[in-house]
Amino acid sequence: MEKDAGQLFVVATPIGNLDDFTFRGAAILKEADLILCEDTRISKRILEKIGVKNKLMVFNARNESRRISEILTKLKRGLKVALISDAGTPAISDPGVRLINACQLQGIPVSGTPGASAAIFALSISGIPTDSFVFEGFLPNKKGRQKKITEILLEKRTVVIYESVYRIIKLLEELKEKAPERFVAVARELTKKFEEVKRGKPAELIDYFAKNKVKGEFVVIIAPEGWQPK
Ligand code: SAM
């Protein structure tokens, strides 16, 4: 790597509440020559609030592989490039892994700032054992979904899943069917106005969430088999 090569900064952004922006994350974004983001409309709104007006480039699941060589060229020319997601930590159920791997392979320095990630925050406020856990991200929508759920329910560790509003009831129904006694926590709208964590058996959670027609973003935490709150 040449002496004045650039650097890739992987910067976590808030998952809802903008006050969760870190000072260092904001400073890095202000200094970056280029900010890679999934959706310029979403990121512009957030960045304007912290006074960042730097150049944005769309970098998302659809164009990640096409953009990598162009970004590597910029980094090799000495640019400081920051990578952000719509919300939370880049590369965690979000684009970035391939770019970060390419930088690591080519000796381009990669750093950044840690910050919010819905999975870790949900786990930390769930009260379900955190000593050993598995992050599954989003489950497949169709093919392989039932097999995956069956595997997850055999897991000896706590399991963390991301789920959308369209499938949260479906997932709870599937858990009710396969493991009606399993203890589950559903964390919704974390750090936002309607944040809540509901805990119980799948049937109890279905009652609550279906009755209240809740919306938003969800993290589902499945306790290890046999674990119940005392
Ligand atoms: N990279 C992000 C992170 O570090 O949390 C995750 C991005 S993933 C595309 C988006 C999913 O994360 C949502 O569908 C939801 O499951 C979860 N999520 C993100 N923000 C959330 C929030 N404020 N409350 C609950 N879940 C959230």
Side-chain angles (χ1 to χ4, degrees):
M1 197 76 269
E2 58 264 49
K3 217 164 67 269
D4 55 354
Q7 186 165 356
L8 178 69
F9 295 92
V10 180
V11 177
T13 58
I15 54 170
N17 189 325
L18 282 188
D19 288 347
D20 294 337
F21 234 117
T22 67
F23 293 124
R24 211 159 66 84
I28 286 177
L29 293 176
K30 275 179 196 159
E31 279 176 23
D33 298 302
L34 179 66
I35 299 174
L36 309 177
C37 65
E38 293 181 83
D39 182 328
T40 51
R41 282 163 308 173
I42 293 176
S43 292
K44 256 185 199 157
R45 272 204 306 273
I46 298 168
L47 295 175
E48 267 168 18
K49 290 208 173 133
I50 59 161
V52 172
K53 296 195 186 86
N54 307 32
K55 200 169 167 220
L56 297 176
M57 178 196 264
V58 174
F59 181 78
N60 56 29
R62 283 182 300 282
N63 71 7
E64 175 165 6
S65 40
R66 272 183 283 125
R67 279 266 150 99
I68 287 179
S69 64
E70 182 188 349
I71 296 164
L72 291 175
T73 305
K74 290 181 191 299
L75 285 160
K76 287 177 190 165
R77 287 207 333 253
L79 263 62
K80 288 186 170 51
V81 178
L83 169 67
I84 60 173
S85 300
D86 284 350
T89 301
I92 305 297
S93 291
D94 266 336
V97 173
R98 277 178 287 176
L99 173 64
I100 295 163
N101 182 45
C103 289
Q104 298 283 14
L105 285 173
Q106 298 198 23
I108 296 166
V110 179
S111 185
T113 56
S117 187
I120 296 297
F121 184 47
L123 192 58
S124 73
I125 60 172
S126 70
I128 288 178
T130 58
D131 43 351
S132 182
F133 62 87
V134 188
F135 174 61
E136 285 286 353
F138 290 101
L139 300 184
N141 288 349
K142 294 197 176 88
K143 196 167 177 283
R145 183 176 174 93
Q146 296 313 315
K147 186 167 171 269
K148 185 59 150 178
I149 294 174
T150 304
E151 274 169 27
I152 281 173
L153 290 168
L154 294 171
E155 202 18 271
K156 298 276 180 278
R157 298 166 287 184
T158 294
V159 179
V160 184
I161 297 171
Y162 284 159
E163 193 51 279
S164 81
V165 65
Y166 308 107
R167 275 180 294 275
I168 185 68
I169 298 293
K170 179 175 188 261
L171 175 62
L172 293 170
E173 295 280 6
E174 290 159 336
L175 296 177
K176 179 180 148 192
E177 157 105 23
K178 292 187 199 296
E181 297 304 311
R182 190 63 65 91
F183 193 78
V184 175
V186 176
R188 179 175 84 94
E189 291 292 88
L190 295 168
T191 78
K192 303 182 199 175
K193 188 173 174 191
F194 297 109
E195 173 180 306
E196 63 181 345
V197 179
K198 284 283 161 199
R199 312 189 328 154
K201 292 179 185 169
E204 295 164 343
L205 297 169
I206 293 166
D207 274 357
Y208 176 79
F209 285 111
K211 198 185 303 150
N212 293 295
K213 294 198 176 70
V214 287
K215 297 200 173 75
E217 300 191 279
F218 297 83
V219 181
V220 177
I221 315 263
I222 304 175
E225 195 180 5
W227 188 88
Q228 292 292 334
K230 295 269 183 325

mmCIF file with all atom_site columns, all heavy atoms in Angstrom, residues 15 87-89 92-94 116-119 138 162-163 187-190 192 217-219, ligand 1:
data_model
loop_
_atom_site.group_PDB
_atom_site.id
_atom_site.type_symbol
_atom_site.label_atom_id
_atom_site.label_alt_id
_atom_site.label_comp_id
_atom_site.label_asym_id
_atom_site.label_entity_id
_atom_site.label_seq_id
_atom_site.pdbx_PDB_ins_code
_atom_site.Cartn_x
_atom_site.Cartn_y
_atom_site.Cartn_z
_atom_site.occupancy
_atom_site.B_iso_or_equiv
_atom_site.pdbx_formal_charge
_atom_site.auth_seq_id
_atom_site.auth_comp_id
_atom_site.auth_asym_id
_atom_site.auth_atom_id
_atom_site.pdbx_PDB_model_num
ATOM   1   N N   . ILE A 1 15  ? -30.129 4.040   15.648 1.00 0.00 ? 15  ILE A N   1
ATOM   2   C CA  . ILE A 1 15  ? -31.215 3.179   15.145 1.00 0.00 ? 15  ILE A CA  1
ATOM   3   C C   . ILE A 1 15  ? -32.577 3.850   15.355 1.00 0.00 ? 15  ILE A C   1
ATOM   4   O O   . ILE A 1 15  ? -33.615 3.224   15.212 1.00 0.00 ? 15  ILE A O   1
ATOM   5   C CB  . ILE A 1 15  ? -31.199 1.771   15.794 1.00 0.00 ? 15  ILE A CB  1
ATOM   6   C CG1 . ILE A 1 15  ? -31.218 1.863   17.331 1.00 0.00 ? 15  ILE A CG1 1
ATOM   7   C CG2 . ILE A 1 15  ? -30.008 0.984   15.307 1.00 0.00 ? 15  ILE A CG2 1
ATOM   8   C CD1 . ILE A 1 15  ? -31.454 0.524   18.012 1.00 0.00 ? 15  ILE A CD1 1
ATOM   9   N N   . ALA A 1 87  ? -29.469 2.877   9.128  1.00 0.00 ? 87  ALA A N   1
ATOM   10  C CA  . ALA A 1 87  ? -29.522 2.953   10.594 1.00 0.00 ? 87  ALA A CA  1
ATOM   11  C C   . ALA A 1 87  ? -28.656 1.839   11.166 1.00 0.00 ? 87  ALA A C   1
ATOM   12  O O   . ALA A 1 87  ? -28.580 0.752   10.600 1.00 0.00 ? 87  ALA A O   1
ATOM   13  C CB  . ALA A 1 87  ? -30.958 2.782   11.075 1.00 0.00 ? 87  ALA A CB  1
ATOM   14  N N   . GLY A 1 88  ? -28.004 2.139   12.280 1.00 0.00 ? 88  GLY A N   1
ATOM   15  C CA  . GLY A 1 88  ? -27.244 1.103   12.991 1.00 0.00 ? 88  GLY A CA  1
ATOM   16  C C   . GLY A 1 88  ? -25.849 0.890   12.436 1.00 0.00 ? 88  GLY A C   1
ATOM   17  O O   . GLY A 1 88  ? -25.258 1.776   11.814 1.00 0.00 ? 88  GLY A O   1
ATOM   18  N N   . THR A 1 89  ? -25.351 -0.309  12.654 1.00 0.00 ? 89  THR A N   1
ATOM   19  C CA  . THR A 1 89  ? -23.963 -0.619  12.308 1.00 0.00 ? 89  THR A CA  1
ATOM   20  C C   . THR A 1 89  ? -23.879 -1.202  10.896 1.00 0.00 ? 89  THR A C   1
ATOM   21  O O   . THR A 1 89  ? -24.539 -2.203  10.613 1.00 0.00 ? 89  THR A O   1
ATOM   22  C CB  . THR A 1 89  ? -23.386 -1.618  13.341 1.00 0.00 ? 89  THR A CB  1
ATOM   23  O OG1 . THR A 1 89  ? -23.473 -1.011  14.636 1.00 0.00 ? 89  THR A OG1 1
ATOM   24  C CG2 . THR A 1 89  ? -21.934 -1.941  13.038 1.00 0.00 ? 89  THR A CG2 1
ATOM   25  N N   . ILE A 1 92  ? -23.855 -5.215  9.339  1.00 0.00 ? 92  ILE A N   1
ATOM   26  C CA  . ILE A 1 92  ? -24.634 -6.123  10.196 1.00 0.00 ? 92  ILE A CA  1
ATOM   27  C C   . ILE A 1 92  ? -26.040 -6.168  9.594  1.00 0.00 ? 92  ILE A C   1
ATOM   28  O O   . ILE A 1 92  ? -26.808 -5.207  9.746  1.00 0.00 ? 92  ILE A O   1
ATOM   29  C CB  . ILE A 1 92  ? -24.674 -5.627  11.674 1.00 0.00 ? 92  ILE A CB  1
ATOM   30  C CG1 . ILE A 1 92  ? -23.267 -5.409  12.223 1.00 0.00 ? 92  ILE A CG1 1
ATOM   31  C CG2 . ILE A 1 92  ? -25.484 -6.594  12.543 1.00 0.00 ? 92  ILE A CG2 1
ATOM   32  C CD1 . ILE A 1 92  ? -22.395 -6.654  12.292 1.00 0.00 ? 92  ILE A CD1 1
ATOM   33  N N   . SER A 1 93  ? -26.340 -7.233  8.861  1.00 0.00 ? 93  SER A N   1
ATOM   34  C CA  . SER A 1 93  ? -27.570 -7.310  8.049  1.00 0.00 ? 93  SER A CA  1
ATOM   35  C C   . SER A 1 93  ? -27.702 -6.075  7.166  1.00 0.00 ? 93  SER A C   1
ATOM   36  O O   . SER A 1 93  ? -28.815 -5.594  6.922  1.00 0.00 ? 93  SER A O   1
ATOM   37  C CB  . SER A 1 93  ? -28.828 -7.461  8.929  1.00 0.00 ? 93  SER A CB  1
ATOM   38  O OG  . SER A 1 93  ? -28.841 -8.713  9.537  1.00 0.00 ? 93  SER A OG  1
ATOM   39  N N   . ASP A 1 94  ? -26.612 -5.553  6.723  1.00 0.00 ? 94  ASP A N   1
ATOM   40  C CA  . ASP A 1 94  ? -26.547 -4.370  5.865  1.00 0.00 ? 94  ASP A CA  1
ATOM   41  C C   . ASP A 1 94  ? -25.335 -4.511  4.948  1.00 0.00 ? 94  ASP A C   1
ATOM   42  O O   . ASP A 1 94  ? -24.428 -5.291  5.252  1.00 0.00 ? 94  ASP A O   1
ATOM   43  C CB  . ASP A 1 94  ? -26.400 -3.095  6.729  1.00 0.00 ? 94  ASP A CB  1
ATOM   44  C CG  . ASP A 1 94  ? -27.746 -2.449  7.035  1.00 0.00 ? 94  ASP A CG  1
ATOM   45  O OD1 . ASP A 1 94  ? -28.695 -2.664  6.260  1.00 0.00 ? 94  ASP A OD1 1
ATOM   46  O OD2 . ASP A 1 94  ? -27.835 -1.723  8.038  1.00 0.00 ? 94  ASP A OD2 1
ATOM   47  N N   . ALA A 1 116 ? -24.720 2.153   17.788 1.00 0.00 ? 116 ALA A N   1
ATOM   48  C CA  . ALA A 1 116 ? -25.941 1.374   17.944 1.00 0.00 ? 116 ALA A CA  1
ATOM   49  C C   . ALA A 1 116 ? -26.017 0.202   16.965 1.00 0.00 ? 116 ALA A C   1
ATOM   50  O O   . ALA A 1 116 ? -25.631 0.314   15.811 1.00 0.00 ? 116 ALA A O   1
ATOM   51  C CB  . ALA A 1 116 ? -27.146 2.281   17.715 1.00 0.00 ? 116 ALA A CB  1
ATOM   52  N N   . SER A 1 117 ? -26.511 -0.911  17.481 1.00 0.00 ? 117 SER A N   1
ATOM   53  C CA  . SER A 1 117 ? -26.952 -2.005  16.632 1.00 0.00 ? 117 SER A CA  1
ATOM   54  C C   . SER A 1 117 ? -28.188 -2.578  17.309 1.00 0.00 ? 117 SER A C   1
ATOM   55  O O   . SER A 1 117 ? -28.169 -2.859  18.515 1.00 0.00 ? 117 SER A O   1
ATOM   56  C CB  . SER A 1 117 ? -25.867 -3.070  16.484 1.00 0.00 ? 117 SER A CB  1
ATOM   57  O OG  . SER A 1 117 ? -26.300 -4.002  15.522 1.00 0.00 ? 117 SER A OG  1
ATOM   58  N N   . ALA A 1 118 ? -29.268 -2.718  16.545 1.00 0.00 ? 118 ALA A N   1
ATOM   59  C CA  . ALA A 1 118 ? -30.542 -3.127  17.142 1.00 0.00 ? 118 ALA A CA  1
ATOM   60  C C   . ALA A 1 118 ? -30.410 -4.465  17.864 1.00 0.00 ? 118 ALA A C   1
ATOM   61  O O   . ALA A 1 118 ? -30.999 -4.651  18.938 1.00 0.00 ? 118 ALA A O   1
ATOM   62  C CB  . ALA A 1 118 ? -31.610 -3.201  16.057 1.00 0.00 ? 118 ALA A CB  1
ATOM   63  N N   . ALA A 1 119 ? -29.627 -5.387  17.296 1.00 0.00 ? 119 ALA A N   1
ATOM   64  C CA  . ALA A 1 119 ? -29.507 -6.719  17.891 1.00 0.00 ? 119 ALA A CA  1
ATOM   65  C C   . ALA A 1 119 ? -28.928 -6.639  19.306 1.00 0.00 ? 119 ALA A C   1
ATOM   66  O O   . ALA A 1 119 ? -29.479 -7.215  20.251 1.00 0.00 ? 119 ALA A O   1
ATOM   67  C CB  . ALA A 1 119 ? -28.608 -7.593  17.013 1.00 0.00 ? 119 ALA A CB  1
ATOM   68  N N   . PHE A 1 138 ? -31.964 -11.707 9.378  1.00 0.00 ? 138 PHE A N   1
ATOM   69  C CA  . PHE A 1 138 ? -33.304 -11.987 8.830  1.00 0.00 ? 138 PHE A CA  1
ATOM   70  C C   . PHE A 1 138 ? -33.395 -13.459 8.445  1.00 0.00 ? 138 PHE A C   1
ATOM   71  O O   . PHE A 1 138 ? -32.476 -13.999 7.830  1.00 0.00 ? 138 PHE A O   1
ATOM   72  C CB  . PHE A 1 138 ? -33.556 -11.143 7.580  1.00 0.00 ? 138 PHE A CB  1
ATOM   73  C CG  . PHE A 1 138 ? -33.722 -9.675  7.859  1.00 0.00 ? 138 PHE A CG  1
ATOM   74  C CD1 . PHE A 1 138 ? -32.677 -8.790  7.641  1.00 0.00 ? 138 PHE A CD1 1
ATOM   75  C CD2 . PHE A 1 138 ? -34.924 -9.173  8.362  1.00 0.00 ? 138 PHE A CD2 1
ATOM   76  C CE1 . PHE A 1 138 ? -32.822 -7.427  7.898  1.00 0.00 ? 138 PHE A CE1 1
ATOM   77  C CE2 . PHE A 1 138 ? -35.078 -7.820  8.626  1.00 0.00 ? 138 PHE A CE2 1
ATOM   78  C CZ  . PHE A 1 138 ? -34.026 -6.945  8.387  1.00 0.00 ? 138 PHE A CZ  1
ATOM   79  N N   . TYR A 1 162 ? -33.779 -10.567 13.308 1.00 0.00 ? 162 TYR A N   1
ATOM   80  C CA  . TYR A 1 162 ? -34.433 -9.351  12.823 1.00 0.00 ? 162 TYR A CA  1
ATOM   81  C C   . TYR A 1 162 ? -35.706 -9.775  12.082 1.00 0.00 ? 162 TYR A C   1
ATOM   82  O O   . TYR A 1 162 ? -35.683 -10.715 11.292 1.00 0.00 ? 162 TYR A O   1
ATOM   83  C CB  . TYR A 1 162 ? -33.536 -8.590  11.842 1.00 0.00 ? 162 TYR A CB  1
ATOM   84  C CG  . TYR A 1 162 ? -32.409 -7.812  12.497 1.00 0.00 ? 162 TYR A CG  1
ATOM   85  C CD1 . TYR A 1 162 ? -31.284 -7.445  11.771 1.00 0.00 ? 162 TYR A CD1 1
ATOM   86  C CD2 . TYR A 1 162 ? -32.471 -7.416  13.828 1.00 0.00 ? 162 TYR A CD2 1
ATOM   87  C CE1 . TYR A 1 162 ? -30.248 -6.717  12.351 1.00 0.00 ? 162 TYR A CE1 1
ATOM   88  C CE2 . TYR A 1 162 ? -31.445 -6.702  14.415 1.00 0.00 ? 162 TYR A CE2 1
ATOM   89  C CZ  . TYR A 1 162 ? -30.340 -6.351  13.670 1.00 0.00 ? 162 TYR A CZ  1
ATOM   90  O OH  . TYR A 1 162 ? -29.326 -5.636  14.247 1.00 0.00 ? 162 TYR A OH  1
ATOM   91  N N   . GLU A 1 163 ? -36.803 -9.061  12.343 1.00 0.00 ? 163 GLU A N   1
ATOM   92  C CA  . GLU A 1 163 ? -38.038 -9.392  11.635 1.00 0.00 ? 163 GLU A CA  1
ATOM   93  C C   . GLU A 1 163 ? -38.773 -8.121  11.242 1.00 0.00 ? 163 GLU A C   1
ATOM   94  O O   . GLU A 1 163 ? -38.676 -7.100  11.919 1.00 0.00 ? 163 GLU A O   1
ATOM   95  C CB  . GLU A 1 163 ? -38.926 -10.293 12.514 1.00 0.00 ? 163 GLU A CB  1
ATOM   96  C CG  . GLU A 1 163 ? -40.066 -10.952 11.788 1.00 0.00 ? 163 GLU A CG  1
ATOM   97  C CD  . GLU A 1 163 ? -39.656 -11.689 10.506 1.00 0.00 ? 163 GLU A CD  1
ATOM   98  O OE1 . GLU A 1 163 ? -39.491 -11.029 9.462  1.00 0.00 ? 163 GLU A OE1 1
ATOM   99  O OE2 . GLU A 1 163 ? -39.519 -12.928 10.539 1.00 0.00 ? 163 GLU A OE2 1
ATOM   100 N N   . ALA A 1 187 ? -38.596 -6.953  20.868 1.00 0.00 ? 187 ALA A N   1
ATOM   101 C CA  . ALA A 1 187 ? -38.233 -5.547  21.112 1.00 0.00 ? 187 ALA A CA  1
ATOM   102 C C   . ALA A 1 187 ? -38.629 -4.751  19.884 1.00 0.00 ? 187 ALA A C   1
ATOM   103 O O   . ALA A 1 187 ? -38.300 -5.121  18.756 1.00 0.00 ? 187 ALA A O   1
ATOM   104 C CB  . ALA A 1 187 ? -36.731 -5.437  21.350 1.00 0.00 ? 187 ALA A CB  1
ATOM   105 N N   . ARG A 1 188 ? -39.350 -3.685  20.102 1.00 0.00 ? 188 ARG A N   1
ATOM   106 C CA  . ARG A 1 188 ? -39.920 -2.921  18.980 1.00 0.00 ? 188 ARG A CA  1
ATOM   107 C C   . ARG A 1 188 ? -39.533 -1.453  19.077 1.00 0.00 ? 188 ARG A C   1
ATOM   108 O O   . ARG A 1 188 ? -39.459 -0.894  20.178 1.00 0.00 ? 188 ARG A O   1
ATOM   109 C CB  . ARG A 1 188 ? -41.444 -3.047  19.052 1.00 0.00 ? 188 ARG A CB  1
ATOM   110 C CG  . ARG A 1 188 ? -42.191 -2.305  17.972 1.00 0.00 ? 188 ARG A CG  1
ATOM   111 C CD  . ARG A 1 188 ? -43.666 -2.595  18.071 1.00 0.00 ? 188 ARG A CD  1
ATOM   112 N NE  . ARG A 1 188 ? -44.322 -1.744  19.045 1.00 0.00 ? 188 ARG A NE  1
ATOM   113 C CZ  . ARG A 1 188 ? -44.930 -0.602  18.757 1.00 0.00 ? 188 ARG A CZ  1
ATOM   114 N NH1 . ARG A 1 188 ? -44.959 -0.157  17.525 1.00 0.00 ? 188 ARG A NH1 1
ATOM   115 N NH2 . ARG A 1 188 ? -45.512 0.115   19.692 1.00 0.00 ? 188 ARG A NH2 1
ATOM   116 N N   . GLU A 1 189 ? -39.270 -0.843  17.930 1.00 0.00 ? 189 GLU A N   1
ATOM   117 C CA  . GLU A 1 189 ? -39.053 0.611   17.832 1.00 0.00 ? 189 GLU A CA  1
ATOM   118 C C   . GLU A 1 189 ? -38.010 1.115   18.856 1.00 0.00 ? 189 GLU A C   1
ATOM   119 O O   . GLU A 1 189 ? -38.213 2.136   19.519 1.00 0.00 ? 189 GLU A O   1
ATOM   120 C CB  . GLU A 1 189 ? -40.381 1.344   18.031 1.00 0.00 ? 189 GLU A CB  1
ATOM   121 C CG  . GLU A 1 189 ? -41.368 1.144   16.885 1.00 0.00 ? 189 GLU A CG  1
ATOM   122 C CD  . GLU A 1 189 ? -40.900 1.814   15.603 1.00 0.00 ? 189 GLU A CD  1
ATOM   123 O OE1 . GLU A 1 189 ? -40.178 1.162   14.841 1.00 0.00 ? 189 GLU A OE1 1
ATOM   124 O OE2 . GLU A 1 189 ? -41.253 2.976   15.390 1.00 0.00 ? 189 GLU A OE2 1
ATOM   125 N N   . LEU A 1 190 ? -36.925 0.395   18.933 1.00 0.00 ? 190 LEU A N   1
ATOM   126 C CA  . LEU A 1 190 ? -35.894 0.723   19.925 1.00 0.00 ? 190 LEU A CA  1
ATOM   127 C C   . LEU A 1 190 ? -35.375 2.157   19.763 1.00 0.00 ? 190 LEU A C   1
ATOM   128 O O   . LEU A 1 190 ? -35.127 2.600   18.637 1.00 0.00 ? 190 LEU A O   1
ATOM   129 C CB  . LEU A 1 190 ? -34.743 -0.281  19.804 1.00 0.00 ? 190 LEU A CB  1
ATOM   130 C CG  . LEU A 1 190 ? -35.150 -1.716  20.158 1.00 0.00 ? 190 LEU A CG  1
ATOM   131 C CD1 . LEU A 1 190 ? -34.081 -2.720  19.739 1.00 0.00 ? 190 LEU A CD1 1
ATOM   132 C CD2 . LEU A 1 190 ? -35.437 -1.842  21.648 1.00 0.00 ? 190 LEU A CD2 1
ATOM   133 N N   . LYS A 1 192 ? -36.918 4.763   19.974 1.00 0.00 ? 192 LYS A N   1
ATOM   134 C CA  . LYS A 1 192 ? -37.911 5.688   19.399 1.00 0.00 ? 192 LYS A CA  1
ATOM   135 C C   . LYS A 1 192 ? -39.072 5.894   20.376 1.00 0.00 ? 192 LYS A C   1
ATOM   136 O O   . LYS A 1 192 ? -39.126 5.248   21.423 1.00 0.00 ? 192 LYS A O   1
ATOM   137 C CB  . LYS A 1 192 ? -38.450 5.133   18.073 1.00 0.00 ? 192 LYS A CB  1
ATOM   138 C CG  . LYS A 1 192 ? -37.356 4.852   17.045 1.00 0.00 ? 192 LYS A CG  1
ATOM   139 C CD  . LYS A 1 192 ? -37.978 4.365   15.752 1.00 0.00 ? 192 LYS A CD  1
ATOM   140 C CE  . LYS A 1 192 ? -36.957 3.642   14.904 1.00 0.00 ? 192 LYS A CE  1
ATOM   141 N NZ  . LYS A 1 192 ? -37.551 3.051   13.712 1.00 0.00 ? 192 LYS A NZ  1
ATOM   142 N N   . GLU A 1 217 ? -40.249 -1.540  13.689 1.00 0.00 ? 217 GLU A N   1
ATOM   143 C CA  . GLU A 1 217 ? -39.141 -2.466  13.445 1.00 0.00 ? 217 GLU A CA  1
ATOM   144 C C   . GLU A 1 217 ? -38.990 -3.368  14.668 1.00 0.00 ? 217 GLU A C   1
ATOM   145 O O   . GLU A 1 217 ? -39.165 -2.923  15.800 1.00 0.00 ? 217 GLU A O   1
ATOM   146 C CB  . GLU A 1 217 ? -37.865 -1.677  13.217 1.00 0.00 ? 217 GLU A CB  1
ATOM   147 C CG  . GLU A 1 217 ? -37.961 -0.747  12.027 1.00 0.00 ? 217 GLU A CG  1
ATOM   148 C CD  . GLU A 1 217 ? -36.608 -0.188  11.657 1.00 0.00 ? 217 GLU A CD  1
ATOM   149 O OE1 . GLU A 1 217 ? -36.182 0.772   12.321 1.00 0.00 ? 217 GLU A OE1 1
ATOM   150 O OE2 . GLU A 1 217 ? -35.993 -0.704  10.733 1.00 0.00 ? 217 GLU A OE2 1
ATOM   151 N N   . PHE A 1 218 ? -38.635 -4.614  14.416 1.00 0.00 ? 218 PHE A N   1
ATOM   152 C CA  . PHE A 1 218 ? -38.663 -5.605  15.498 1.00 0.00 ? 218 PHE A CA  1
ATOM   153 C C   . PHE A 1 218 ? -37.368 -6.414  15.586 1.00 0.00 ? 218 PHE A C   1
ATOM   154 O O   . PHE A 1 218 ? -36.794 -6.795  14.560 1.00 0.00 ? 218 PHE A O   1
ATOM   155 C CB  . PHE A 1 218 ? -39.784 -6.620  15.246 1.00 0.00 ? 218 PHE A CB  1
ATOM   156 C CG  . PHE A 1 218 ? -41.161 -6.004  15.237 1.00 0.00 ? 218 PHE A CG  1
ATOM   157 C CD1 . PHE A 1 218 ? -41.655 -5.392  14.094 1.00 0.00 ? 218 PHE A CD1 1
ATOM   158 C CD2 . PHE A 1 218 ? -41.959 -6.023  16.372 1.00 0.00 ? 218 PHE A CD2 1
ATOM   159 C CE1 . PHE A 1 218 ? -42.923 -4.829  14.068 1.00 0.00 ? 218 PHE A CE1 1
ATOM   160 C CE2 . PHE A 1 218 ? -43.232 -5.460  16.363 1.00 0.00 ? 218 PHE A CE2 1
ATOM   161 C CZ  . PHE A 1 218 ? -43.712 -4.861  15.200 1.00 0.00 ? 218 PHE A CZ  1
ATOM   162 N N   . VAL A 1 219 ? -36.991 -6.712  16.821 1.00 0.00 ? 219 VAL A N   1
ATOM   163 C CA  . VAL A 1 219 ? -35.949 -7.711  17.068 1.00 0.00 ? 219 VAL A CA  1
ATOM   164 C C   . VAL A 1 219 ? -36.585 -8.782  17.953 1.00 0.00 ? 219 VAL A C   1
ATOM   165 O O   . VAL A 1 219 ? -37.266 -8.455  18.933 1.00 0.00 ? 219 VAL A O   1
ATOM   166 C CB  . VAL A 1 219 ? -34.720 -7.113  17.788 1.00 0.00 ? 219 VAL A CB  1
ATOM   167 C CG1 . VAL A 1 219 ? -33.652 -8.177  17.998 1.00 0.00 ? 219 VAL A CG1 1
ATOM   168 C CG2 . VAL A 1 219 ? -34.154 -5.931  17.009 1.00 0.00 ? 219 VAL A CG2 1
HETATM 169 N N1  . SAM B 2 .   ? -27.391 -2.642  10.623 1.00 0.00 ? 1   SAM B N1  1
HETATM 170 C C1  . SAM B 2 .   ? -28.554 -2.502  11.461 1.00 0.00 ? 1   SAM B C1  1
HETATM 171 C C2  . SAM B 2 .   ? -28.146 -2.708  12.923 1.00 0.00 ? 1   SAM B C2  1
HETATM 172 O O1  . SAM B 2 .   ? -26.958 -2.623  13.220 1.00 0.00 ? 1   SAM B O1  1
HETATM 173 O O2  . SAM B 2 .   ? -29.013 -2.885  13.756 1.00 0.00 ? 1   SAM B O2  1
HETATM 174 C C3  . SAM B 2 .   ? -29.633 -3.468  11.050 1.00 0.00 ? 1   SAM B C3  1
HETATM 175 C C4  . SAM B 2 .   ? -30.141 -3.219  9.669  1.00 0.00 ? 1   SAM B C4  1
HETATM 176 S S1  . SAM B 2 .   ? -31.386 -4.327  9.172  1.00 0.00 ? 1   SAM B S1  1
HETATM 177 C C5  . SAM B 2 .   ? -31.501 -3.942  7.466  1.00 0.00 ? 1   SAM B C5  1
HETATM 178 C C6  . SAM B 2 .   ? -32.854 -3.581  9.784  1.00 0.00 ? 1   SAM B C6  1
HETATM 179 C C7  . SAM B 2 .   ? -33.532 -4.425  10.852 1.00 0.00 ? 1   SAM B C7  1
HETATM 180 O O3  . SAM B 2 .   ? -32.920 -4.170  12.108 1.00 0.00 ? 1   SAM B O3  1
HETATM 181 C C8  . SAM B 2 .   ? -34.998 -4.077  11.062 1.00 0.00 ? 1   SAM B C8  1
HETATM 182 O O4  . SAM B 2 .   ? -35.830 -4.784  10.147 1.00 0.00 ? 1   SAM B O4  1
HETATM 183 C C9  . SAM B 2 .   ? -35.230 -4.533  12.476 1.00 0.00 ? 1   SAM B C9  1
HETATM 184 O O5  . SAM B 2 .   ? -35.396 -5.926  12.533 1.00 0.00 ? 1   SAM B O5  1
HETATM 185 C C10 . SAM B 2 .   ? -33.896 -4.156  13.122 1.00 0.00 ? 1   SAM B C10 1
HETATM 186 N N2  . SAM B 2 .   ? -33.973 -2.777  13.647 1.00 0.00 ? 1   SAM B N2  1
HETATM 187 C C11 . SAM B 2 .   ? -33.341 -1.687  13.186 1.00 0.00 ? 1   SAM B C11 1
HETATM 188 N N3  . SAM B 2 .   ? -33.651 -0.603  13.927 1.00 0.00 ? 1   SAM B N3  1
HETATM 189 C C12 . SAM B 2 .   ? -34.504 -1.032  14.886 1.00 0.00 ? 1   SAM B C12 1
HETATM 190 C C13 . SAM B 2 .   ? -35.183 -0.397  15.961 1.00 0.00 ? 1   SAM B C13 1
HETATM 191 N N4  . SAM B 2 .   ? -35.068 0.902   16.183 1.00 0.00 ? 1   SAM B N4  1
HETATM 192 N N5  . SAM B 2 .   ? -35.971 -1.168  16.749 1.00 0.00 ? 1   SAM B N5  1
HETATM 193 C C14 . SAM B 2 .   ? -36.119 -2.487  16.532 1.00 0.00 ? 1   SAM B C14 1
HETATM 194 N N6  . SAM B 2 .   ? -35.495 -3.128  15.535 1.00 0.00 ? 1   SAM B N6  1
HETATM 195 C C15 . SAM B 2 .   ? -34.700 -2.426  14.723 1.00 0.00 ? 1   SAM B C15 1
#
